[in-house]
PDB file of all heavy atoms in Angstrom:
ATOM      1  N   LEU R  40      99.784  93.474   6.487  1.00  0.00           N
ATOM      2  CA  LEU R  40      98.868  92.696   5.644  1.00  0.00           C
ATOM      3  C   LEU R  40      99.666  91.960   4.539  1.00  0.00           C
ATOM      4  O   LEU R  40      99.338  90.839   4.206  1.00  0.00           O
ATOM      5  CB  LEU R  40      97.828  93.607   4.997  1.00  0.00           C
ATOM      6  CG  LEU R  40      96.724  94.090   5.932  1.00  0.00           C
ATOM      7  CD1 LEU R  40      96.019  95.307   5.400  1.00  0.00           C
ATOM      8  CD2 LEU R  40      95.718  92.968   6.208  1.00  0.00           C
ATOM      9  N   ALA R  44      99.913  88.045   3.550  1.00  0.00           N
ATOM     10  CA  ALA R  44      99.653  87.528   2.233  1.00  0.00           C
ATOM     11  C   ALA R  44     100.842  86.647   1.755  1.00  0.00           C
ATOM     12  O   ALA R  44     100.628  85.618   1.123  1.00  0.00           O
ATOM     13  CB  ALA R  44      99.419  88.692   1.234  1.00  0.00           C
ATOM     14  N   VAL R  53      99.882  87.069  -6.209  1.00  0.00           N
ATOM     15  CA  VAL R  53      99.445  87.742  -4.953  1.00  0.00           C
ATOM     16  C   VAL R  53     100.658  87.952  -4.057  1.00  0.00           C
ATOM     17  O   VAL R  53     100.811  89.048  -3.472  1.00  0.00           O
ATOM     18  CB  VAL R  53      98.331  86.932  -4.241  1.00  0.00           C
ATOM     19  CG1 VAL R  53      97.974  87.547  -2.912  1.00  0.00           C
ATOM     20  CG2 VAL R  53      97.091  86.843  -5.119  1.00  0.00           C
ATOM     21  N   LEU R  94      90.781  93.757   9.734  1.00  0.00           N
ATOM     22  CA  LEU R  94      90.965  93.063   8.489  1.00  0.00           C
ATOM     23  C   LEU R  94      91.997  91.922   8.642  1.00  0.00           C
ATOM     24  O   LEU R  94      91.789  90.823   8.145  1.00  0.00           O
ATOM     25  CB  LEU R  94      91.417  94.049   7.393  1.00  0.00           C
ATOM     26  CG  LEU R  94      91.760  93.465   6.020  1.00  0.00           C
ATOM     27  CD1 LEU R  94      90.574  92.767   5.408  1.00  0.00           C
ATOM     28  CD2 LEU R  94      92.303  94.569   5.105  1.00  0.00           C
ATOM     29  N   MET R  95      93.075  92.177   9.387  1.00  0.00           N
ATOM     30  CA  MET R  95      94.091  91.162   9.619  1.00  0.00           C
ATOM     31  C   MET R  95      93.514  89.951  10.328  1.00  0.00           C
ATOM     32  O   MET R  95      93.802  88.814   9.951  1.00  0.00           O
ATOM     33  CB  MET R  95      95.256  91.735  10.450  1.00  0.00           C
ATOM     34  CG  MET R  95      96.273  92.474   9.609  1.00  0.00           C
ATOM     35  SD  MET R  95      97.570  93.094  10.683  1.00  0.00           S
ATOM     36  CE  MET R  95      97.573  94.814  10.148  1.00  0.00           C
ATOM     37  N   LYS R  97      90.446  88.989  10.347  1.00  0.00           N
ATOM     38  CA  LYS R  97      89.513  88.323   9.400  1.00  0.00           C
ATOM     39  C   LYS R  97      90.351  87.429   8.437  1.00  0.00           C
ATOM     40  O   LYS R  97      90.010  86.265   8.171  1.00  0.00           O
ATOM     41  CB  LYS R  97      88.714  89.358   8.639  1.00  0.00           C
ATOM     42  CG  LYS R  97      87.791  88.783   7.594  1.00  0.00           C
ATOM     43  CD  LYS R  97      87.119  89.914   6.794  1.00  0.00           C
ATOM     44  CE  LYS R  97      86.723  89.435   5.388  1.00  0.00           C
ATOM     45  NZ  LYS R  97      86.214  90.508   4.538  1.00  0.00           N
ATOM     46  N   LEU R  98      91.433  88.001   7.913  1.00  0.00           N
ATOM     47  CA  LEU R  98      92.256  87.271   6.935  1.00  0.00           C
ATOM     48  C   LEU R  98      93.021  86.137   7.564  1.00  0.00           C
ATOM     49  O   LEU R  98      93.288  85.128   6.888  1.00  0.00           O
ATOM     50  CB  LEU R  98      93.260  88.237   6.246  1.00  0.00           C
ATOM     51  CG  LEU R  98      92.652  89.263   5.289  1.00  0.00           C
ATOM     52  CD1 LEU R  98      93.731  90.234   4.817  1.00  0.00           C
ATOM     53  CD2 LEU R  98      92.016  88.578   4.091  1.00  0.00           C
ATOM     54  N   GLN R  99      93.364  86.249   8.851  1.00  0.00           N
ATOM     55  CA  GLN R  99      94.064  85.190   9.565  1.00  0.00           C
ATOM     56  C   GLN R  99      93.348  83.861   9.422  1.00  0.00           C
ATOM     57  O   GLN R  99      93.950  82.800   9.322  1.00  0.00           O
ATOM     58  CB  GLN R  99      94.195  85.498  11.075  1.00  0.00           C
ATOM     59  CG  GLN R  99      95.249  86.517  11.420  1.00  0.00           C
ATOM     60  CD  GLN R  99      96.634  85.952  11.408  1.00  0.00           C
ATOM     61  OE1 GLN R  99      96.874  84.804  11.109  1.00  0.00           O
ATOM     62  NE2 GLN R  99      97.587  86.835  11.723  1.00  0.00           N
ATOM     63  N   GLY R 100      91.995  83.898   9.473  1.00  0.00           N
ATOM     64  CA  GLY R 100      91.205  82.708   9.449  1.00  0.00           C
ATOM     65  C   GLY R 100      90.922  82.166   8.051  1.00  0.00           C
ATOM     66  O   GLY R 100      90.147  81.250   7.902  1.00  0.00           O
ATOM     67  N   MET R 101      91.513  82.794   7.042  1.00  0.00           N
ATOM     68  CA  MET R 101      91.236  82.379   5.637  1.00  0.00           C
ATOM     69  C   MET R 101      92.492  81.746   5.006  1.00  0.00           C
ATOM     70  O   MET R 101      93.586  81.955   5.509  1.00  0.00           O
ATOM     71  CB  MET R 101      90.826  83.582   4.828  1.00  0.00           C
ATOM     72  CG  MET R 101      89.576  84.269   5.342  1.00  0.00           C
ATOM     73  SD  MET R 101      89.269  85.785   4.425  1.00  0.00           S
ATOM     74  CE  MET R 101      87.755  85.378   3.688  1.00  0.00           C
ATOM     75  N   SER R 102      92.259  81.043   3.909  1.00  0.00           N
ATOM     76  CA  SER R 102      93.401  80.504   3.168  1.00  0.00           C
ATOM     77  C   SER R 102      93.022  80.328   1.727  1.00  0.00           C
ATOM     78  O   SER R 102      91.856  80.442   1.364  1.00  0.00           O
ATOM     79  CB  SER R 102      93.876  79.176   3.785  1.00  0.00           C
ATOM     80  OG  SER R 102      92.816  78.265   3.721  1.00  0.00           O
ATOM     81  N   GLY R 103      94.021  80.033   0.886  1.00  0.00           N
ATOM     82  CA  GLY R 103      93.791  79.707  -0.512  1.00  0.00           C
ATOM     83  C   GLY R 103      93.093  80.810  -1.272  1.00  0.00           C
ATOM     84  O   GLY R 103      93.350  82.028  -1.039  1.00  0.00           O
ATOM     85  N   ALA R 104      92.160  80.447  -2.123  1.00  0.00           N
ATOM     86  CA  ALA R 104      91.460  81.377  -3.020  1.00  0.00           C
ATOM     87  C   ALA R 104      90.624  82.377  -2.214  1.00  0.00           C
ATOM     88  O   ALA R 104      90.487  83.549  -2.603  1.00  0.00           O
ATOM     89  CB  ALA R 104      90.591  80.636  -4.019  1.00  0.00           C
ATOM     90  N   ASP R 105      90.040  81.929  -1.111  1.00  0.00           N
ATOM     91  CA  ASP R 105      89.258  82.841  -0.262  1.00  0.00           C
ATOM     92  C   ASP R 105      90.133  83.958   0.297  1.00  0.00           C
ATOM     93  O   ASP R 105      89.744  85.140   0.296  1.00  0.00           O
ATOM     94  CB  ASP R 105      88.618  82.109   0.921  1.00  0.00           C
ATOM     95  CG  ASP R 105      87.489  81.165   0.499  1.00  0.00           C
ATOM     96  OD1 ASP R 105      87.005  81.346  -0.639  1.00  0.00           O
ATOM     97  OD2 ASP R 105      87.136  80.268   1.271  1.00  0.00           O
ATOM     98  N   PHE R 106      91.311  83.591   0.730  1.00  0.00           N
ATOM     99  CA  PHE R 106      92.249  84.589   1.262  1.00  0.00           C
ATOM    100  C   PHE R 106      92.601  85.577   0.141  1.00  0.00           C
ATOM    101  O   PHE R 106      92.534  86.777   0.332  1.00  0.00           O
ATOM    102  CB  PHE R 106      93.525  83.927   1.818  1.00  0.00           C
ATOM    103  CG  PHE R 106      94.542  84.962   2.229  1.00  0.00           C
ATOM    104  CD1 PHE R 106      94.541  85.465   3.500  1.00  0.00           C
ATOM    105  CD2 PHE R 106      95.440  85.487   1.289  1.00  0.00           C
ATOM    106  CE1 PHE R 106      95.447  86.496   3.853  1.00  0.00           C
ATOM    107  CE2 PHE R 106      96.356  86.491   1.628  1.00  0.00           C
ATOM    108  CZ  PHE R 106      96.346  86.982   2.954  1.00  0.00           C
ATOM    109  N   ASP R 107      92.997  85.021  -1.003  1.00  0.00           N
ATOM    110  CA  ASP R 107      93.421  85.875  -2.132  1.00  0.00           C
ATOM    111  C   ASP R 107      92.332  86.897  -2.499  1.00  0.00           C
ATOM    112  O   ASP R 107      92.597  88.087  -2.651  1.00  0.00           O
ATOM    113  CB  ASP R 107      93.760  85.067  -3.382  1.00  0.00           C
ATOM    114  CG  ASP R 107      95.060  84.250  -3.168  1.00  0.00           C
ATOM    115  OD1 ASP R 107      95.804  84.526  -2.205  1.00  0.00           O
ATOM    116  OD2 ASP R 107      95.323  83.354  -3.999  1.00  0.00           O
ATOM    117  N   LYS R 108      91.094  86.410  -2.589  1.00  0.00           N
ATOM    118  CA  LYS R 108      89.983  87.263  -2.992  1.00  0.00           C
ATOM    119  C   LYS R 108      89.776  88.393  -1.953  1.00  0.00           C
ATOM    120  O   LYS R 108      89.652  89.555  -2.316  1.00  0.00           O
ATOM    121  CB  LYS R 108      88.723  86.457  -3.145  1.00  0.00           C
ATOM    122  CG  LYS R 108      87.556  87.300  -3.649  1.00  0.00           C
ATOM    123  CD  LYS R 108      86.342  86.438  -3.991  1.00  0.00           C
ATOM    124  CE  LYS R 108      85.390  87.308  -4.732  1.00  0.00           C
ATOM    125  NZ  LYS R 108      84.158  87.482  -4.678  1.00  0.00           N
ATOM    126  N   ALA R 109      89.780  88.026  -0.679  1.00  0.00           N
ATOM    127  CA  ALA R 109      89.569  89.033   0.391  1.00  0.00           C
ATOM    128  C   ALA R 109      90.743  90.024   0.445  1.00  0.00           C
ATOM    129  O   ALA R 109      90.505  91.228   0.584  1.00  0.00           O
ATOM    130  CB  ALA R 109      89.435  88.330   1.725  1.00  0.00           C
ATOM    131  N   TYR R 110      91.966  89.557   0.272  1.00  0.00           N
ATOM    132  CA  TYR R 110      93.122  90.429   0.310  1.00  0.00           C
ATOM    133  C   TYR R 110      93.119  91.378  -0.882  1.00  0.00           C
ATOM    134  O   TYR R 110      93.297  92.598  -0.725  1.00  0.00           O
ATOM    135  CB  TYR R 110      94.432  89.596   0.317  1.00  0.00           C
ATOM    136  CG  TYR R 110      95.700  90.418   0.247  1.00  0.00           C
ATOM    137  CD1 TYR R 110      96.110  91.162   1.358  1.00  0.00           C
ATOM    138  CD2 TYR R 110      96.471  90.534  -0.890  1.00  0.00           C
ATOM    139  CE1 TYR R 110      97.253  91.961   1.341  1.00  0.00           C
ATOM    140  CE2 TYR R 110      97.605  91.294  -0.954  1.00  0.00           C
ATOM    141  CZ  TYR R 110      97.999  92.010   0.172  1.00  0.00           C
ATOM    142  OH  TYR R 110      99.125  92.806   0.124  1.00  0.00           O
ATOM    143  N   ILE R 111      92.905  90.857  -2.088  1.00  0.00           N
ATOM    144  CA  ILE R 111      92.922  91.667  -3.322  1.00  0.00           C
ATOM    145  C   ILE R 111      91.812  92.702  -3.236  1.00  0.00           C
ATOM    146  O   ILE R 111      92.011  93.899  -3.524  1.00  0.00           O
ATOM    147  CB  ILE R 111      92.757  90.784  -4.573  1.00  0.00           C
ATOM    148  CG1 ILE R 111      94.019  89.934  -4.775  1.00  0.00           C
ATOM    149  CG2 ILE R 111      92.543  91.667  -5.798  1.00  0.00           C
ATOM    150  CD1 ILE R 111      93.832  88.784  -5.765  1.00  0.00           C
ATOM    151  N   THR R 112      90.601  92.306  -2.825  1.00  0.00           N
ATOM    152  CA  THR R 112      89.458  93.220  -2.703  1.00  0.00           C
ATOM    153  C   THR R 112      89.766  94.331  -1.719  1.00  0.00           C
ATOM    154  O   THR R 112      89.490  95.524  -1.975  1.00  0.00           O
ATOM    155  CB  THR R 112      88.172  92.436  -2.280  1.00  0.00           C
ATOM    156  OG1 THR R 112      87.948  91.398  -3.217  1.00  0.00           O
ATOM    157  CG2 THR R 112      86.976  93.341  -2.248  1.00  0.00           C
ATOM    158  N   ALA R 113      90.385  93.972  -0.586  1.00  0.00           N
ATOM    159  CA  ALA R 113      90.763  94.963   0.425  1.00  0.00           C
ATOM    160  C   ALA R 113      91.790  95.937  -0.134  1.00  0.00           C
ATOM    161  O   ALA R 113      91.702  97.138   0.113  1.00  0.00           O
ATOM    162  CB  ALA R 113      91.294  94.271   1.701  1.00  0.00           C
ATOM    163  N   MET R 114      92.767  95.450  -0.897  1.00  0.00           N
ATOM    164  CA  MET R 114      93.827  96.310  -1.471  1.00  0.00           C
ATOM    165  C   MET R 114      93.254  97.239  -2.525  1.00  0.00           C
ATOM    166  O   MET R 114      93.702  98.373  -2.651  1.00  0.00           O
ATOM    167  CB  MET R 114      94.981  95.467  -2.044  1.00  0.00           C
ATOM    168  CG  MET R 114      95.814  94.746  -0.994  1.00  0.00           C
ATOM    169  SD  MET R 114      96.535  95.866   0.257  1.00  0.00           S
ATOM    170  CE  MET R 114      95.437  95.661   1.642  1.00  0.00           C
ATOM    171  N   LEU R 115      92.295  96.752  -3.286  1.00  0.00           N
ATOM    172  CA  LEU R 115      91.635  97.613  -4.304  1.00  0.00           C
ATOM    173  C   LEU R 115      90.976  98.813  -3.557  1.00  0.00           C
ATOM    174  O   LEU R 115      91.187  99.954  -3.903  1.00  0.00           O
ATOM    175  CB  LEU R 115      90.559  96.876  -5.083  1.00  0.00           C
ATOM    176  CG  LEU R 115      91.055  95.873  -6.129  1.00  0.00           C
ATOM    177  CD1 LEU R 115      89.868  95.033  -6.637  1.00  0.00           C
ATOM    178  CD2 LEU R 115      91.710  96.620  -7.308  1.00  0.00           C
ATOM    179  N   LYS R 116      90.153  98.496  -2.544  1.00  0.00           N
ATOM    180  CA  LYS R 116      89.430  99.513  -1.834  1.00  0.00           C
ATOM    181  C   LYS R 116      90.407 100.469  -1.117  1.00  0.00           C
ATOM    182  O   LYS R 116      90.287 101.704  -1.207  1.00  0.00           O
ATOM    183  CB  LYS R 116      88.498  98.867  -0.811  1.00  0.00           C
ATOM    184  CG  LYS R 116      87.632  99.914  -0.083  1.00  0.00           C
ATOM    185  CD  LYS R 116      86.731  99.289   0.938  1.00  0.00           C
ATOM    186  CE  LYS R 116      85.854 100.305   1.645  1.00  0.00           C
ATOM    187  NZ  LYS R 116      86.488 101.576   1.958  1.00  0.00           N
ATOM    188  N   ASP R 117      91.392  99.904  -0.436  1.00  0.00           N
ATOM    189  CA  ASP R 117      92.363 100.663   0.309  1.00  0.00           C
ATOM    190  C   ASP R 117      93.104 101.683  -0.553  1.00  0.00           C
ATOM    191  O   ASP R 117      93.251 102.841  -0.197  1.00  0.00           O
ATOM    192  CB  ASP R 117      93.368  99.676   0.911  1.00  0.00           C
ATOM    193  CG  ASP R 117      93.966 100.182   2.188  1.00  0.00           C
ATOM    194  OD1 ASP R 117      93.253 100.820   2.960  1.00  0.00           O
ATOM    195  OD2 ASP R 117      95.171  99.966   2.393  1.00  0.00           O
ATOM    196  N   THR R 155      97.245  96.029  -8.619  1.00  0.00           N
ATOM    197  CA  THR R 155      96.201  95.287  -7.907  1.00  0.00           C
ATOM    198  C   THR R 155      95.038  94.924  -8.820  1.00  0.00           C
ATOM    199  O   THR R 155      94.509  93.823  -8.787  1.00  0.00           O
ATOM    200  CB  THR R 155      95.713  96.080  -6.670  1.00  0.00           C
ATOM    201  OG1 THR R 155      96.859  96.467  -5.900  1.00  0.00           O
ATOM    202  CG2 THR R 155      94.792  95.259  -5.804  1.00  0.00           C
ATOM    203  N   HIS R 162      92.507  86.824 -11.032  1.00  0.00           N
ATOM    204  CA  HIS R 162      91.728  86.021 -10.095  1.00  0.00           C
ATOM    205  C   HIS R 162      90.248  86.134 -10.316  1.00  0.00           C
ATOM    206  O   HIS R 162      89.458  85.770  -9.428  1.00  0.00           O
ATOM    207  CB  HIS R 162      92.152  86.359  -8.663  1.00  0.00           C
ATOM    208  CG  HIS R 162      93.527  85.926  -8.311  1.00  0.00           C
ATOM    209  ND1 HIS R 162      93.809  84.741  -7.649  1.00  0.00           N
ATOM    210  CD2 HIS R 162      94.713  86.480  -8.619  1.00  0.00           C
ATOM    211  CE1 HIS R 162      95.119  84.613  -7.524  1.00  0.00           C
ATOM    212  NE2 HIS R 162      95.704  85.646  -8.103  1.00  0.00           N
ATOM    213  N   ILE R 164      88.320  88.622 -10.233  1.00  0.00           N
ATOM    214  CA  ILE R 164      87.638  89.585  -9.337  1.00  0.00           C
ATOM    215  C   ILE R 164      87.271  90.766 -10.218  1.00  0.00           C
ATOM    216  O   ILE R 164      88.168  91.418 -10.738  1.00  0.00           O
ATOM    217  CB  ILE R 164      88.520  89.985  -8.166  1.00  0.00           C
ATOM    218  CG1 ILE R 164      88.869  88.742  -7.291  1.00  0.00           C
ATOM    219  CG2 ILE R 164      87.873  91.059  -7.320  1.00  0.00           C
ATOM    220  CD1 ILE R 164      89.959  88.998  -6.297  1.00  0.00           C
ATOM    221  N   GLU R 172      85.444  98.405  -7.869  1.00  0.00           N
ATOM    222  CA  GLU R 172      85.162  96.979  -7.991  1.00  0.00           C
ATOM    223  C   GLU R 172      83.657  96.767  -8.008  1.00  0.00           C
ATOM    224  O   GLU R 172      82.888  97.514  -7.423  1.00  0.00           O
ATOM    225  CB  GLU R 172      85.777  96.236  -6.805  1.00  0.00           C
ATOM    226  CG  GLU R 172      85.187  96.807  -5.544  1.00  0.00           C
ATOM    227  CD  GLU R 172      85.901  96.383  -4.320  1.00  0.00           C
ATOM    228  OE1 GLU R 172      85.632  95.272  -3.888  1.00  0.00           O
ATOM    229  OE2 GLU R 172      86.688  97.161  -3.793  1.00  0.00           O
ATOM    230  N   SER R 174      82.263  93.725  -7.366  1.00  0.00           N
ATOM    231  CA  SER R 174      81.951  92.629  -6.465  1.00  0.00           C
ATOM    232  C   SER R 174      81.280  93.154  -5.223  1.00  0.00           C
ATOM    233  O   SER R 174      81.656  94.203  -4.696  1.00  0.00           O
ATOM    234  CB  SER R 174      83.288  91.919  -6.089  1.00  0.00           C
ATOM    235  OG  SER R 174      83.170  91.332  -4.855  1.00  0.00           O
ATOM    236  N   ALA R 176      81.340  91.533  -2.414  1.00  0.00           N
ATOM    237  CA  ALA R 176      82.017  90.936  -1.273  1.00  0.00           C
ATOM    238  C   ALA R 176      82.664  92.032  -0.448  1.00  0.00           C
ATOM    239  O   ALA R 176      83.359  92.876  -0.958  1.00  0.00           O
ATOM    240  CB  ALA R 176      83.076  89.954  -1.761  1.00  0.00           C
ATOM    241  N   LYS R 177      82.428  92.008   0.825  1.00  0.00           N
ATOM    242  CA  LYS R 177      83.034  93.009   1.726  1.00  0.00           C
ATOM    243  C   LYS R 177      83.934  92.302   2.715  1.00  0.00           C
ATOM    244  O   LYS R 177      83.592  91.324   3.276  1.00  0.00           O
ATOM    245  CB  LYS R 177      81.963  93.821   2.450  1.00  0.00           C
ATOM    246  CG  LYS R 177      81.329  94.864   1.590  1.00  0.00           C
ATOM    247  CD  LYS R 177      82.273  96.056   1.399  1.00  0.00           C
ATOM    248  CE  LYS R 177      81.847  96.971   0.283  1.00  0.00           C
ATOM    249  NZ  LYS R 177      82.321  96.651  -1.030  1.00  0.00           N
TER     250      LYS R 177
END
Side-chain angles (χ1 to χ4, degrees):
L40 286 162
V53 174
L94 177 60
M95 276 179 231
K97 176 185 155 186
L98 289 174
Q99 283 283 1
M101 301 173 116
S102 60
D105 289 343
F106 175 89
D107 289 347
K108 184 172 191 222
Y110 177 73
I111 293 164
T112 303
M114 290 304 100
L115 284 170
K116 183 182 181 321
D117 208 38
T155 307
H162 290 263
I164 298 168
E172 60 191 279
S174 153
K177 283 284 165 273

